[in-house]
Amino acid sequence: MKLLEIKNLSKSFNGRKVLEDISLTVEKGEVVSIIGPSGSGKSTLLRCTTFLETMDDGELSYSENPVVVSNNGRAVYPSKNELKEAKKHFSLVFQNFNLFPHFNVLKNVSDAPIHVLKREKEEVIEESMKILKKVGLEEKINSYPCELSGGQQQRVAIARALVMNPDMLYFDEPTSALDPEITAGILRIMKELAEEKMTMVIVTHEIDFARAVSDRVIFMDGGYIIEQGAPKDVIDNPSNERTKAFLKKLSV
Amino acid sequence: MRQNKKMSNLKAKNNRIRSLIGTALIFSMIVSMFLCLMPITAYAEKQTFTVGFDAEFPPYGYKDASGEYVGFDLDLAAEVCKRSNWELVKQPIDWDSKDMELNSGAIDCIWNGFTINGREDKYTWSTPYIDNSQVVVVKKDSDINKLSDLEGKTVVVQADSSALAAFTGEDATDENKKLAKSFAELQQTADYNSAFLNLESGMVQAICMDVGIANYQTAKRGDKFRILEEKVSSEKYGIGFKLGNDTLRDKVQEILFDMKSDGTFDEIAKKWNLETSVCLSADDKYIDKEETSSSSQKTDDSGIKFGDMFIQLADGMKSTILIFVLTLLFSMPLGLLLTFIRMSRFKIIQMIAKLYISIIRGTPLMLQLLVVCYGPYYIFGWELGKGYRFYAVIIGFSLNYAAYFAEIFRAGIQAVPNGQREAASILGYSNAQTFRKIIFPQMVKHVLPPVTNEIITLVKDTSLAFVLAYTEIFTIAKQIAAAQTNIIPLFAAGLFYYVFNFIVAFVMSRIEKKLSYYK
């Protein structure tokens, strides 16, 4: 099943095009990495698919249900309630974690399922504990974000996303704000999720990681999807000059 | 800072004393020591003759249309100075602070329709020159026709005026004391203008004042008021010098007699329509101190009053705390509402809040209080009754503080990182949930320090309620200080404000500490 389907998405800021005619499909269980130089539109693409930005034109469907449709060259958004329903399909892990500083770890993870999804409190707490244990933070449930390291905060953020039970997860440069030795821990968790067949779309600069976990790698530049395919094709054997140039810069 | 700014909008006439009060207690002690030294320098030169007067007391002394200080007494003083080659300094004073002005040497005399009766041994007096009686002014269509009709009515007098003394002073007749007790309330006001505003808008039913002023005011204000025939008391005006300053008194007195005999005095009286009241006569003697009650009895009296002072101040404290609590209670939610309007997505709605904040921040709180209190009558003709005074104080303060809180809250909301809203959006929180659960608690933490500042300013600003004649601690302290020629009530009030603010600061720092569990 196509969990995500984007058709002809375009977006500009103050007349400057940042995304141009993007079409993309993500199948259930697929892990897709998006790479490309900064300013290429990767993050904006993620922000459009998660409704943090509104696209100018294009169509967007989750689980084959249309959410945003195109009408006369303009994207038409649904009502607030329908948008809220659509948000249940996915969750997003931010580069800067964006944990709620005044909530402790357990409340950060469990508050939304209880108050947004209106699930039973005991059940949510139990599940939150399970997931926090999985990311190795069962001893920190009463700590506040300011008492945690960056890596620990990002693990809480991943737990917070997982407990919402989304069909798919977006990651927006999840390790860019972290020290290299901490990065590995986060990547390990993401790798485990991939092995559990979690559908993931990851914007990343970790080329080795992208190669290891991705089913498909997308290279973006200047607001366009330049090249996409299996990691061994796009990363190890790129056909496009711009992809080659980008990868060459990364390898020092 | 804001307190100071507001203070500068207070009437200029009591700047010196007011700033004295505003300063910390230690400083005020130093300043009062300085003031004690001032007479020495003043007398050393003796070039100037400084007359203290209430600039809101026509026809004796007031500001005319062109902004000059004019009046019967000032004309007399000018003539005296002319004849003795002195330079006249017209010094408007806060009537409640007149004794401090005089005793500190800041003024040489009080010359301002100043009633001798009841104050015989507090000043060195000239001979009486005006016979004045206390009369009652009511609305033209009022059903009050004689003094006994005042039973159950609200009557207003000027603070520390001879009308007040006629009702409650030491020398008040039993009859007048009884009459005053029959009133629903005997209110005090800072000036006659607000007394007439109160009368016209129906907040009070009668004003008691000097007949000369009553004639002048009722004539000037058109056909709206009338004076009762029955008089409350009869009294005389003199020039008050500092007790013991006979030299200056004698000199001025001599010139006055000269003026009387060559007709200048009566000419000036005629100019101010006071010729019927003049009683200056060379046959009169100075008011002899020995004729009046002995000074030892006086000390006893003030001893008793000392205990009363704290009871009265305690009453004022209750009022101050009430203003404080109610203002906070209303201004904070109102401020938050204003913040929402100010941060609206729609430019036009934003403009409403911007305009409101701009007006409130750009005009003195004192003026806003007056508008809130008297505006309903003068703009819409609503008579809101005497109970409205208290509501006006609360409404005025709440509207003012809401504007300041709104801007603080806006800054607090904008200080919450955008990532917080984005995370909440991804998790599916509604806008209301996002504000209530995520933004608001973080905003509270951000705004605590500026809000503490604002609350401390509010404690001190409550003293501005005096412009609406609402008797909170500052008003009462000033009145007691004036009545007893004693600065202790002001110190006591200062101490109260300080302790109050100390508690506020303590409580706020505890709350801040409580919220420091996260960064």
Side-chain angles (χ1 to χ4, degrees), chain A residues 47-54 92 94, chain B residues 421-423 425-426:
Chain A
R47 292 172 62 83
C48 282
T49 59
T50 55
F51 310 121
L52 293 177
E53 298 285 355
T54 49
L92 167 65
F94 295 88
Chain B
R421 287 179 196 86
E422 292 184 349
S425 160
I426 293 291

Side-chain angles (χ1 to χ4, degrees), chain A residues 47 50 52 80 84 87 90-92 94 98-103 111-112 115-116 144 146 160 164, chain B residues 417-431 433 437-439 441-442 517-519:
Chain A
R47 292 172 62 83
T50 55
L52 293 177
K80 245 184 197 175
K84 193 175 169 181
K87 281 179 183 172
F90 62 84
S91 198
L92 167 65
F94 295 88
N98 291 339
L99 295 179
F100 303 129
H102 54 305
F103 288 174
D111 194 74
H115 293 105
V116 176
Y144 286 88
C146 63
R160 180 173 71 174
M164 293 299 281
Chain B
N418 210 30
Q420 294 290 307
R421 287 179 196 86
E422 292 184 349
S425 160
I426 293 291
L427 291 167
Y429 286 104
S430 68
N431 285 343
Q433 278 177 324
K437 298 181 77 93
I438 312 297
I439 307 298
Q442 296 186 58
Y517 65 85
Y518 73 88
K519 279 187 205 113

Side-chain angles (χ1 to χ4, degrees), chain B residues 45 51-52 81 357 437 464:
Chain B
E45 293 186 23
V51 173
C81 286
I357 291 166
K437 298 181 77 93
L464 287 173

